[in-house]
Amino acid sequence: MKVAFTGATGFIGSHVLTDLQKHGHEVTALVRDDTHADTVAARDAKAAVLDLYDRPAVASLLSKVHAGDLLRGVGPDPPPVRRLRVRPAAALEARALLVQHPRGPARHLLRARPHRPRHDGHADAIDRICAWLDAWRQDCDNGPWWPQWITRDELRTRRPTQPGPLRPSWCYGTPGLARAQQLAGVATGDTARQDMAEQALTACLADPAQLSQITDSSMCHGWAGLFHTTWRAARDARTPVIAACPPHVTELFTQHGHPGVGEGTGLLEGNAGLALALHTAARTRPPVSGWDACLLIG
C-alpha cells in the first residue's frame, strides 16, 4: 500500500514509519525542509518537501497514495484524504505510543469544549481518556499518581512497573495529568473528578520525595512548569487547599529558577520559558498574550 503522512521525524511518527516499512508499505513522508528530508531518507523512506498550507500541492500528492494521515492542519479547507487505516501493527503501535501520554490530547479536547461548538464524538473522547486515566491511577499514602508511560507489555498485563511517582512535572508527571483531569471536571461538570484532581495535585506538592526529584528550572519538566501548572490549576480550583498552594510553589520556583539557568533559549527547556513563568509569578495575573495556550493548561 502507498501511504503518505506528516510527522515521520517526530517521536510517534518515527515509530509509525518503522512499523509501516516493516509491513511492506511504500511510505512518503511529508516534511517541511531538506533537513527533515535527509532524516527520512536515512530511514530508507521517500520524503516530499512541501508547504502543508499549499492545498493544491498537498492534494496532488495525496491523490497518488492509497491512504494518508495529516497530523497537522492544512489550512482552513484541507484536501480530502483517506485516513490512515493500516491494521493491525501500525495502528496498535501508534495507539500504544499515544496512550502512554494522553495528557496532551485530553487538554486539547478540554480547551476546545467550553469555547467552541461541540463536535460529534467530542464528549466521548473526553470520557474515554478519563476512563483510561482512571484505569491506570495508582494510590499511595501520598495521594494518587499515574505512570509516566505505559509500555505494550504493561498494556498486556494491565500492571505498571513504575514503583511510585516520579518527578512532578508538567510533561509526564502528576501535575500535568491532574490539571488535565481538573479541566475535564470543569468542562463536563464532573465535580468529583475535579476534586480528585485537585487533591492529587495538592498531595503531590506536599510530598518532599516528589519535589526532590526536580533537577532543573525548565518549563517542560522543571520548576517553571510545576509553578505555572499549579498557578493555572489554583485559578480554577473548587477546593480551598489547592487554591492556597501558589505562594508556596512560587517561593520554591523563585529559589531555583532565575534568568540564565535554562538550557539555551527555548520555550520548553530554555530561558524563554523560564522568563515567561517568572513574569507570571511577578505579575500574579494571566499572561496578556496568552502564550501558555500552547501548553494546554490555561
Side-chain angles (χ1 to χ4, degrees), residues 80-274:
V81 56
R82 272 184 57 197
R83 299 293 290 181
L84 185 61
R85 291 291 182 268
V86 184
R87 295 286 196 267
L92 290 175
E93 179 73 17
R95 183 184 179 205
L97 289 166
L98 175 61
V99 298
Q100 71 179 342
H101 197 194
R103 169 193 48 76
R107 288 184 190 160
H108 182 71
L109 289 165
L110 299 169
R111 279 180 54 81
R113 187 172 182 191
H115 303 294
R116 302 175 189 169
R118 283 182 55 182
H119 300 287
D120 292 342
H122 196 160
D124 180 60
I126 293 174
D127 290 343
R128 290 177 64 185
I129 291 175
C130 287
W132 172 269
L133 292 171
D134 289 343
W136 289 98
R137 189 181 80 190
Q138 309 296 305
D139 293 294
C140 66
D141 293 340
N142 293 321
W145 58 274
W146 293 263
Q148 285 196 353
W149 51 70
I150 303 298
T151 67
R152 283 184 289 180
D153 287 340
E154 291 171 331
L155 188 61
R156 283 191 289 266
T157 63
R158 307 300 298 178
R159 293 180 180 178
T161 57
Q162 183 177 315
L166 301 182
R167 63 184 174 190
S169 62
W170 162 81
C171 54
Y172 287 98
T174 294
L177 288 168
R179 174 56 172 161
Q181 292 180 83
Q182 182 194 37
L183 286 170
V186 172
T188 63
D190 185 349
T191 56
R193 180 171 297 280
Q194 182 177 353
D195 291 349
M196 179 278 294
E198 293 174 7
Q199 290 163 8
L201 180 54
T202 300
C204 170
L205 296 173
D207 184 4
Q210 292 187 61
L211 295 178
S212 68
Q213 297 183 70
I214 301 179
T215 58
D216 64 59
S217 300
S218 72
M219 183 66 67
C220 185
H221 42 256
W223 289 105
L226 176 63
F227 159 75
H228 209 79
T229 303
T230 303
W231 188 85
R232 278 294 190 180
R235 292 181 63 85
D236 292 326
R238 274 174 35 89
T239 55
V241 177
I242 189 63
C245 284
H248 169 62
V249 179
T250 301
E251 181 180 359
L252 291 172
F253 172 42
T254 53
Q255 285 176 2
H256 294 87
H258 52 83
V261 302
E263 298 180 8
T265 59
L267 173 66
L268 291 182
E269 297 186 350
N271 288 313
L274 177 57

Side-chain angles (χ1 to χ4, degrees), residues 55-70:
R55 188 176 189 275
V58 174
S60 175
L61 186 148
L62 294 177
S63 69
K64 301 171 184 176
V65 299
H66 300 109
D69 203 14
L70 303 178

Side-chain angles (χ1 to χ4, degrees), residues 16-87:
V16 173
L17 173 60
T18 297
D19 214 44
L20 289 170
Q21 291 177 310
K22 184 169 65 177
H23 288 80
H25 299 293
E26 183 181 334
V27 182
T28 298
L30 284 67
V31 298
R32 63 179 178 267
D33 55 40
D34 291 336
T35 300
H36 288 83
D38 291 342
T39 301
V40 171
R43 301 279 304 277
D44 296 322
K46 180 181 177 181
V49 180
L50 47 74
D51 180 355
L52 292 182
Y53 287 89
D54 184 345
R55 188 176 189 275
V58 174
S60 175
L61 186 148
L62 294 177
S63 69
K64 301 171 184 176
V65 299
H66 300 109
D69 203 14
L70 303 178
L71 305 180
R72 292 180 53 187
V74 188
D77 186 22
V81 56
R82 272 184 57 197
R83 299 293 290 181
L84 185 61
R85 291 291 182 268
V86 184
R87 295 286 196 267

